[in-house]
Amino acid sequence: MISRRYALIAGALALVAIATPALAQGAVAAQYRWLTFAVFGVIISITMYVTYLAAKRVKNVADFYAAGGGVSGLQNGWAIAGDYLSAASFLGIAGLISLYGYDGFMYSVGWLVAYITVLLVIAEPCRNIGKYTLSDILAYRNNPRAARIVGALSTITVSTFYLTAQMVGGGVLVKTLIGIDYEISVMVVGVLMLAYVLFGGMVATTWVQIIKAILLVTASIMLVILVWTPYGFSLPAFLTAVIGDADVQAQVALLLGDAGKNMSPTELGQRFLEPGLLFKAPIDQISLGMALVFGTAGMPHILMRFFTVPTAQDARKSVIWAMAIIGGFYVLTLFLGMGSAMHVGAVKIKSIDAGGNMAGPLLAQYLGGGPESMLGNLFLAFVAAVAFATIVAVVAGLVLAAASAMAHDLYVGVIREDHVTQEEQVRAARIATVIVGAMAITIGILSKGQNVAHLVALAFAVASSANFPCVLLTLFWKRCNTGGIVLGMIVGTLTAIGLVLVSPNLTYPLAVKAAQEKIVAAESAKLTKFQGDLTAAVEAPAQDKLKADIAKSEKAKAAAEAKIKEIGSDRTSIVGLEKPAFDLRNPGLISIPLGFLAVILGSLLYRDKRSEDMWDELYVRQNTGLLLAKPTAH
Amino acid sequence: MVDTSQVDWKAIDSRPEFQELHRRKMGFLWGLMVFSMFYYFLLPIGAAYFQDLYKIKVWGPVNVGILFALSEFVVAWALAFWYAKRANAEFDPMAAEIVRDAEKYMGGKK
């Protein structure tokens, strides 16, 4: 088959690109970089082989979008975990725990609780009435054309936000870890992902997720065993060591500033296990929590996973497995983060990546014997390769979701009104995949250097404010109809995006300028003091220390001045505001209720006979699975 | 494509067996949902407004806050397990019977 040969060529190209000599310096020492490439090569080869096998099984459109409904509950559970444990949650949460202790751990809880919503109200009904996409569910009893258009647009919006964050995050990550150029990293991620999706469709995407999730969990268990063994697997003994560590105490002192001045080292250490080091605004926390617990259930690439299993029972089983894997992983992350805070230290973690994303990988390096050792670098290489596989796999899932919205909903459903042959549908799916993939690579490269961390939060905000109310109410509320779906999607999406655009997430030049001016003033005051001290100092060591201090202050002052100059005469953020018009970083608290309200109002104000007539059918089917199509035999 | 037009959905919906399934399932589902949301949001709210409580040490350096956060995992797993158990033992057989009956009416056509 031609397509299989192309899959191999694409894989070989990706390998060559990865093996291109790296230019910049990464976390992996230069003499051990070959080790990283070797581990990368092995993992990519395995996934490519799986794609090759999968390509043989993709015969029709059901295979491409939903793996022919032939995935088992256990397999799907691992795949959901693979989809969900993106670089943001896998590297990000360990990083937050390593820098902020308790608050980081508290943050991880919402990501698990989210699956309760998925389990109770989404997974089984979606399996029973859905086919390939989120819009299939919306179109069931509502005007199919209207429902498909708003559903597809929302799917593409959510996926693009998430995709951009993953591409940029992935590019930065690979550069930080092994020093490959940003642009090359983004392209390698893009080409590999395209190879998986294009040739293997959902079959390959599922298996890549499973392989990656197993690698991730194995690596984490291994590291936790290493970090916990010295303390006899006792939680109090381990945490006693963490809070007794000078690095941890210094980090808490730094975070507390003046408030921590009168605290003893023991008190500072204990403070690491108490809330409040990261989250200062409780309302914002609750808002983020809402976006997580309702947004996950509205994520198109997560919803899509339930169409790959044959029955509602398997859908249920897969969520239970996913919850066990994801929850277990976050508990492991507690040890990784705390271990990293103690063994690596916040200063070193932040020196490589300010957001703390390198906490896990650096802990791996330490546990293997440190930066100079072969084993330490092998560990680091392994974790780096898993992180890379994570990004490729998550991006593959997202691209498949966006491509299915484009091809299945917009092209086949709306433009061609379902008069399409199987061959044409598969071709449309592949073309859409290439379009979305090319778009992802382009956006990834164009967004170089942009702050994209808030894009993940934005994706969850749209999913929870638009997709979730629409899906939930069309499944469970008899009166819900086309008017509600259309209004809910529009209001939910626009308020979520609109509120973020006027929130503190954006850069406000005046605020940045004021902060930098403060630094300049503080450093200038310090300089005057140091210079006075210098003339008074008589001993050589004291003079040397002061000279070093002066040099440091001058450097900090110059950096702040450069930033002020860079801002120049800019006064407003990209939407033209001098300061945030909305105080919350996470819009969920406002936009989720508004989304629900819009669906309800839209439904009440609009008459739609079809939505009413179809209610009995939808409700009976979503509860019983009657007439559920049997999986295609392979 | 499955043809859904040959089934009298209204008749199935109004059957007592289906109404019973609907009643039991909805009460259970929404009860669990409300409880899980309540228990989850207690964590960040408590962390913001009851910090002194979270700071009480109970097991070496392990404080109430850490135990509470860990309990969130246990509670989430327990709820999921409880739901799965009841769905397997109760809802699935009920749904299966409704499907069997419906298929009989359709004269085995499928």
Side-chain angles (χ1 to χ4, degrees):
Chain A
M1 244 175 107
I2 298 171
S3 66
R4 258 180 277 150
R5 198 179 313 144
Y6 281 123
L8 288 180
I9 293 172
L13 274 177
L15 275 177
V16 170
I18 273 203
T20 315
L23 299 167
Q25 180 67 42
V28 178
Q31 74 266 35
Y32 290 114
R33 207 163 281 157
W34 62 272
L35 210 55
T36 314
F37 293 132
V39 182
F40 268 50
V42 170
I43 293 182
I44 292 173
S45 310
I46 295 172
T47 51
M48 273 301 154
Y49 182 66
V50 168
T51 307
Y52 169 79
L53 293 180
K56 287 194 244 181
R57 288 176 44 182
V58 177
K59 295 196 184 84
N60 56 32
V61 72
D63 294 333
F64 191 87
Y65 290 132
V71 177
S72 79
L74 175 62
Q75 289 164 352
N76 197 38
W78 278 96
I80 293 171
D83 243 328
Y84 204 57
L85 298 171
S86 65
S89 63
F90 143 53
L91 297 169
I93 291 175
L96 287 180
I97 294 174
S98 75
L99 297 181
Y100 305 101
Y102 184 83
D103 279 4
F105 184 48
M106 191 172 82
Y107 177 68
S108 74
V109 173
W111 296 78
L112 173 71
V113 174
Y115 275 90
I116 292 277
T117 320
V118 177
L119 173 69
L120 295 181
V121 292
I122 296 294
E124 296 174 43
C126 287
R127 167 62 286 180
N128 278 340
I129 65 159
K131 204 170 158 203
Y132 307 138
T133 64
L134 178 134
S135 309
D136 285 339
I137 298 166
L138 299 179
Y140 198 98
R141 57 189 277 236
N142 301 302
N143 178 318
R145 236 181 130 80
R148 282 194 188 284
I149 291 174
V150 287
L153 288 181
S154 156
T155 297
I156 293 168
T157 309
V158 171
S159 304
T160 308
F161 287 150
Y162 211 153
L163 203 57
T164 308
Q166 292 292 325
M167 291 303 269
V168 176
V172 173
L173 180 84
V174 175
K175 185 173 185 328
T176 316
L177 276 170
I178 44 174
I180 295 178
D181 270 353
Y182 176 86
E183 284 83 357
I184 295 177
S185 310
V186 169
M187 269 187 269
V188 172
V189 170
V191 169
L192 271 176
M193 163 276 291
L194 264 178
Y196 298 147
V197 181
L198 204 53
F199 305 113
M202 186 52 114
V203 184
T205 306
T206 302
W207 279 102
V208 171
Q209 303 283 26
I210 294 173
I211 292 169
K212 162 238 156 156
I214 291 175
L215 285 173
L216 186 58
V217 170
T218 312
S220 304
I221 291 177
M222 202 174 72
L223 293 177
V224 169
I225 290 175
L226 285 174
V227 83
W228 207 4
T229 308
Y231 308 98
F233 294 103
S234 149
L235 181 62
F238 173 70
L239 289 179
T240 304
V242 171
I243 65 175
D245 186 77
D247 283 344
V248 173
Q249 292 162 356
Q251 166 71 359
V252 177
L254 182 77
L255 290 171
L256 288 177
D258 288 342
K261 265 196 179 132
N262 299 320
M263 289 167 82
S264 71
T266 328
E267 284 171 334
L268 284 172
Q270 183 68 33
R271 187 73 185 78
F272 199 60
L273 306 180
E274 293 165 0
L277 290 179
L278 173 62
F279 301 130
K280 316 282 184 205
I283 304 292
D284 224 344
Q285 259 334 94
I286 293 163
S287 195
L288 173 67
M290 284 177 73
L292 284 180
V293 298
F294 300 128
T296 304
M299 279 288 168
H301 69 296
I302 300 285
L303 274 184
M304 231 180 144
R305 293 237 52 90
F306 296 112
F307 307 132
T308 67
V309 290
T311 63
Q313 284 74 23
D314 293 296
R316 181 189 309 146
K317 204 165 136 193
S318 61
V319 189
I320 303 277
W321 274 110
M323 284 182 72
I325 298 161
I326 293 168
F329 181 79
Y330 288 143
V331 175
L332 295 178
T333 311
L334 173 68
F335 291 92
L336 298 183
M338 290 285 176
S340 195
M342 166 168 64
H343 293 311
V344 183
V347 176
K348 191 173 173 201
I349 296 170
K350 281 190 291 185
S351 74
I352 297 192
D353 178 85
N357 283 326
M358 289 302 120
L362 287 173
L363 178 70
Q365 192 182 39
Y366 168 86
L367 290 172
E372 305 306 323
S373 69
M374 172 90 171
L375 192 62
N377 281 286
L378 180 66
F379 275 23
L380 178 58
F382 186 69
V383 174
V386 173
F388 179 76
T390 295
I391 292 160
V392 178
V394 174
V395 168
L398 288 164
V399 166
L400 193 53
S404 66
M406 218 178 252
H408 175 68
D409 296 328
L410 291 182
Y411 178 72
V412 175
V414 176
I415 298 175
R416 301 281 302 270
E417 293 181 331
D418 287 327
H419 303 297
V420 190
T421 64
Q422 277 284 330
E423 288 73 33
E424 279 179 309
Q425 287 198 45
V426 176
R427 201 182 317 129
R430 290 208 157 109
I431 292 171
T433 303
V434 174
I435 295 173
V436 178
M439 195 182 78
I441 296 173
T442 316
I443 294 179
I445 291 174
L446 289 179
S447 311
K448 184 182 181 179
Q450 298 291 313
N451 173 15
V452 292
H454 59 272
L455 281 180
V456 172
L458 189 55
F460 273 93
V462 174
S464 59
S465 314
N467 300 359
F468 180 64
C470 291
V471 172
L472 188 77
L473 291 177
T474 197
L475 286 174
F476 290 97
W477 187 43
K478 195 172 180 173
R479 286 290 303 271
C480 183
N481 62 30
T482 312
I485 299 300
V486 172
L487 194 66
M489 278 290 184
I490 293 172
V491 170
T493 307
L494 292 186
T495 39
I497 297 176
L499 287 176
V500 166
L501 281 178
V502 298
S503 75
N505 290 307
L506 269 69
T507 308
Y508 293 89
L510 287 181
V512 176
K513 214 169 175 177
Q516 297 298 335
E517 273 162 359
K518 226 169 157 180
I519 294 175
V520 172
E523 295 297 336
S524 303
K526 264 199 225 163
L527 277 174
T528 328
K529 182 176 169 291
F530 289 151
Q531 264 141 5
D533 289 351
L534 188 60
T535 30
V538 266
E539 282 170 35
Q543 284 181 344
D544 286 345
K545 192 186 169 292
L546 281 166
K547 275 180 193 157
D549 283 341
I550 289 173
K552 218 168 120 188
S553 272
E554 274 171 347
K555 212 171 145 195
K557 192 180 161 187
E561 278 168 343
K563 272 189 194 144
I564 294 175
K565 211 170 156 194
E566 201 178 297
I567 293 166
S569 59
D570 280 359
R571 292 182 58 81
T572 59
S573 68
I574 51 169
V575 290
L577 287 175
E578 286 189 359
K579 60 179 176 30
F582 178 69
D583 280 337
L584 295 181
R585 286 181 171 273
N586 302 288
L589 194 65
I590 308 290
S591 60
I592 296 171
L594 273 180
F596 272 101
L597 198 68
V599 181
I600 294 170
L601 278 181
S603 300
L604 294 179
L605 293 174
Y606 184 82
R607 286 252 152 259
D608 185 354
K609 196 156 175 332
R610 184 169 186 265
S611 298
E612 276 174 44
D613 291 346
M614 295 288 283
W615 166 252
D616 287 324
E617 176 177 334
L618 173 130
Y619 197 68
V620 169
R621 281 194 77 193
Q622 69 119 317
N623 274 298
T624 61
L626 190 53
L627 295 186
L628 184 61
K630 297 278 183 288
T632 52
H634 288 292
Chain B
M1 285 297 275
V2 269
D3 180 18
T4 60
S5 58
Q6 52 179 319
V7 184
D8 185 355
W9 298 100
K10 213 171 186 74
I12 300 177
D13 192 3
S14 50
R15 286 183 57 187
E17 290 91 342
F18 185 78
Q19 285 302 316
E20 178 67 15
L21 171 66
H22 158 79
R23 202 179 49 77
R24 287 200 206 171
K25 206 169 155 183
M26 287 306 117
F28 185 59
L29 281 186
W30 293 110
L32 277 188
M33 186 81 196
V34 169
F35 176 76
S36 69
M37 289 303 118
F38 171 76
Y39 197 73
Y40 167 61
F41 284 106
L42 221 49
L43 181 71
I45 293 171
Y49 301 105
F50 300 97
Q51 286 205 0
D52 288 340
L53 178 70
Y54 277 39
K55 289 178 181 177
I56 298 169
K57 288 191 264 181
V58 280
W59 188 26
V62 179
N63 55 30
V64 173
I66 291 180
L67 290 182
F68 189 21
L70 284 173
S71 82
E72 291 276 351
F73 288 85
V74 178
V75 167
W77 285 327
L79 291 181
F81 191 71
W82 187 22
Y83 167 73
K85 222 177 149 190
R86 190 153 170 206
N88 288 332
E90 193 178 328
F91 305 145
D92 285 356
M94 286 173 87
E97 205 182 312
I98 295 165
V99 171
R100 251 197 318 275
D101 283 353
E103 279 172 353
K104 216 158 44 195
Y105 290 130
M106 284 149 53
K109 268 190 285 175
K110 206 175 167 192

